[in-house]
Amino acid sequence: MSTPRPVLVVDFGAQYAQLIARRVREARVYSEIVPHSMPIAEMLAKNPAAIILSGGPSSVYEPGAPILDPALFANEVPVFGICYGFQAMAQALGGTVAHTGSREYGRTLLAPATEAGTLLRELPADLPVWMSHGDSVAEPPAGFTVTASSPGAPVAAFEDLATRRAGVQFHPEVAHTEQGQRMLERFLYDIAGIEPTWTPSNIIDEQVAAIRAQVGDKQVMCGLSGGVDSAVAAALVHKAVGDQLTCVFVDHGLLRAGEAEQVEKDYVAATGIRLKVVDASDVFLGHLAGVTDPEQKRKIIGREFIRTFEGAARELDAERNIEFLVQGTLYPDVVESGGGTGTANIKSHHNVGGLPDDLQFALIEPLRTLFKDEVRALGAELGLPEEMVQRHPFPGPGLAIRIIGAVDRERLDILRAADLIAREELTASGLDRDVWQFPVVLLADVRSVGVQGDGRTYGHPVVLRPVSSEDAMTADWSRLPYDLIAKISNRITNEVREINRVVLDVTSKPPGTIEWE
């Protein structure tokens, strides 16, 4: 993909490195994450528009702490330091970092200086920011102006406009820092002089041109799962090469109510894509019969998906001589795998391995540089149905891992009915986008005593698991209104006769995971 000059986020082991990169993207500026161990020459070879030094867990005085090579500053690339990156930058440029032992964590009030500089100009005094540090910059490097302080940091921000360098002790990327996004944008726009051109329409234009150049007049195949990533990847490739693309949808019988129809009808109607549907639900459910172990379920589903997809791929290849396979890899996948390259693998959310060695295609990964929110924006720009673009993440093994116990058609129907009610009510409340994911879990091997009408019942409990997250690496349970939870519970117990108890999971991640299995 042809991309603009990147803003490089140098990761010093920060829990927030991806968040910094996302915030830069939200400012409509392209960013990439690189490890602090990357040689400066390699960073500069990327022709960065600016460099942001992330925070990190170390002290600059610790043995083995990441070191910032002063060679970074032997050029004119604008640099912005955050937390550890701020201290490492100060030290590398000749400033003084004091190992004070005085710690400052959490919400802290920032006091901008009289000359607040570019980052903090016209921002209010006593501005709440998020701190996390033990050391402090005591003296700024020569040429830098101190623009703010805090109770635990006499130098909480500095900048040198002549060299286009700045830094802050706090974390502007987190929501707890008020005006943090505004500060980042002032660095990007006003100090680094970057134009905000990273927009959905520009991304689409660049990607379409890149796909056409890669594919030429060859044939392409894409596996559709019903999820956002594969739907947007396919739509983007279709925009580039039209009928040279054929999509394969494997219906394993484990999707939620209406999702198979959404792929087969709504998606095709919206895009005009050629779609090959393989109904393999009997095969999948046959192999899953009586299986209760979650890992065994995943392995069975992964194995059967490979077999089914392989068969469809061979048929298509015989008909059309397929040379390319589209995969919906996202940027966090690339970062977390160390940059992953290689032969075709079905997406990791299917929990399956690569395709057989004799079934290799060249990969097209049109979303490889994007975060999930950017993928959604592209989907909207491409005209995909909103229900598909805003679909919550859904595991490849589907409802099989939301049934605690063995999987069969009856249990799937029970869970589908309860899940549909929860989704309908969440949508009706207008809170869809406030929730990252909303699993409904059927405790199929548990029976709960209840009272319905004048008699006792022994029905199944279901668990509501609404979670809020930025990227699913960490998550917290969503504080949905009690009236909404009550409405969902009442509808489920009234309309799904096999269920007589609804419970709410209030566990964060960690220690819990988002899915139960």
Side-chain angles (χ1 to χ4, degrees):
M1 176 176 177
S2 172
T3 53
R5 294 175 62 198
V7 169
L8 298 184
V9 177
V10 181
D11 184 4
F12 284 100
Q15 58 178 320
Y16 295 134
Q18 280 201 31
L19 185 55
I20 296 170
R22 285 170 56 88
R23 296 292 183 247
V24 173
R25 303 278 188 97
E26 287 169 15
R28 303 182 305 285
V29 173
Y30 177 62
S31 63
E32 292 179 10
I33 301 170
V34 297
H36 67 84
S37 56
M38 177 180 282
I40 298 299
E42 285 186 30
M43 292 185 197
L44 297 179
K46 290 178 171 284
N47 192 26
I51 291 175
I52 297 178
L53 309 174
S54 85
S58 303
S59 161
V60 293
Y61 292 103
E62 283 179 17
I67 302 298
L68 182 61
D69 186 345
L72 174 63
F73 302 104
N75 63 82
E76 298 181 354
V77 177
V79 180
F80 184 48
I82 295 174
C83 195
Y84 182 89
F86 170 67
Q87 296 175 6
M89 177 179 179
Q91 189 178 62
L93 287 169
T96 304
V97 179
H99 188 47
T100 61
S102 174
R103 298 170 180 268
E104 198 169 39
Y105 292 109
R107 186 178 185 272
T108 304
L109 296 181
L110 187 73
T114 305
E115 295 295 327
T118 297
L119 288 181
L120 304 175
R121 70 173 184 271
E122 299 173 0
L123 296 185
D126 295 329
L127 185 69
V129 298
W130 196 254
M131 289 282 194
S132 180
H133 68 100
D135 300 336
S136 297
V137 176
E139 294 290 336
F144 281 77
T145 301
V146 177
T147 57
S149 61
S150 73
V155 181
F158 59 39
E159 58 190 57
D160 180 357
L161 297 183
T163 59
R164 298 190 296 171
R165 296 168 186 160
V168 294
Q169 180 59 70
F170 51 89
H171 288 274
E173 72 275 17
V174 302
H176 303 291
T177 294
E178 294 185 13
Q179 306 289 339
Q181 183 68 11
R182 193 173 177 187
M183 297 175 201
L184 277 172
E185 289 175 358
R186 285 179 172 175
F187 168 73
L188 296 168
Y189 304 158
D190 300 342
I191 295 178
I194 301 171
E195 293 290 327
T197 60
W198 183 248
T199 63
S201 59
N202 286 347
I203 295 169
I204 290 170
D205 290 345
E206 292 168 352
Q207 188 58 268
V208 163
I211 293 167
R212 285 174 179 163
Q214 181 181 4
V215 171
D217 60 358
K218 305 295 192 300
Q219 294 292 312
V220 186
M221 178 176 64
C222 176
L224 278 181
S225 68
V228 180
D229 304 341
S230 64
V232 174
L236 198 49
V237 174
H238 185 255
K239 184 177 178 67
V241 299
D243 285 345
Q244 293 167 239
L245 171 69
T246 304
C247 289
V248 176
F249 171 53
V250 175
D251 184 357
H252 51 27
L254 305 170
L255 293 175
R256 298 177 294 187
E259 291 185 324
E261 295 79 7
Q262 187 181 71
V263 175
E264 292 183 52
K265 297 175 184 175
D266 298 349
Y267 185 71
V268 172
T271 61
I273 277 177
R274 178 191 291 111
L275 180 65
K276 179 182 179 70
V277 178
V278 182
D279 184 352
S281 55
D282 287 342
V283 174
F284 278 81
L285 291 179
H287 286 288
L288 287 169
V291 177
T292 58
D293 179 72
E295 276 310 302
Q296 194 178 353
K297 288 181 190 176
R298 289 178 181 273
K299 288 177 181 176
I300 289 169
I301 294 166
R303 181 193 71 214
E304 293 309 314
F305 185 90
I306 282 288
R307 287 176 177 172
T308 308
F309 191 85
E310 176 188 359
R314 289 195 191 282
E315 287 179 16
L316 272 181
D317 193 28
E319 294 170 12
R320 307 180 66 86
N321 189 25
I322 305 294
E323 295 196 24
F324 293 92
L325 176 68
V326 180
Q327 186 161 300
T329 309
L330 301 193
Y331 189 53
D333 303 328
V334 176
V335 173
E336 289 162 21
S337 66
T341 59
T343 58
N345 287 330
I346 302 298
K347 286 193 61 181
S348 60
H349 72 218
H350 288 296
N351 297 291
V352 299
L355 290 172
D357 289 340
D358 61 345
L359 193 69
Q360 291 201 13
F361 304 102
L363 275 183
I364 300 174
E365 297 179 305
L367 311 180
R368 188 178 174 83
T369 61
L370 305 179
F371 287 99
K372 178 73 86 173
D373 52 342
E374 294 172 313
V375 172
R376 294 191 197 280
L378 250 63
E381 186 83 11
L382 288 163
L384 297 186
E386 184 177 3
E387 311 81 62
M388 185 166 279
V389 171
Q390 296 301 330
R391 179 185 190 257
H392 288 174
F394 187 63
L399 296 180
I401 59 169
R402 293 183 180 175
I403 294 175
I404 310 303
V407 179
D408 59 32
R409 289 193 185 277
E410 181 184 1
R411 290 176 169 185
L412 284 165
D413 288 342
I414 293 169
L415 180 52
R416 280 194 188 99
D419 175 87
L420 181 60
I421 290 169
R423 288 189 288 141
E424 285 176 345
E425 293 300 335
L426 185 68
T427 299
S429 72
L431 296 175
D432 261 331
R433 300 195 189 186
D434 294 339
V435 174
W436 170 267
Q437 209 165 337
F438 194 177
V440 177
V441 181
L442 176 66
L443 305 185
D445 288 346
V446 176
R447 291 282 181 168
S448 168
V449 178
V451 178
Q452 290 175 312
D454 294 324
R456 291 164 68 85
T457 61
Y458 294 91
H460 297 292
V462 292
V463 181
L464 305 181
R465 175 70 167 133
V467 296
S468 301
S469 179
E470 288 271 359
D471 50 22
M473 291 192 292
T474 60
D476 196 9
W477 63 281
S478 303
R479 272 64 166 177
L480 298 180
Y482 290 146
D483 287 348
L484 173 58
I485 295 171
K487 191 170 185 180
I488 292 172
S489 176
N490 288 340
R491 278 196 62 192
I492 289 175
T493 52
N494 284 335
E495 298 175 30
V496 188
R497 63 178 180 80
E498 297 89 349
I499 296 172
N500 67 355
R501 191 176 298 271
V502 177
V503 299
L504 179 66
D505 183 345
V506 295
T507 314
S508 62
K509 177 189 178 182
T513 54
I514 293 177
E515 300 289 346
W516 271 46
E517 288 199 345

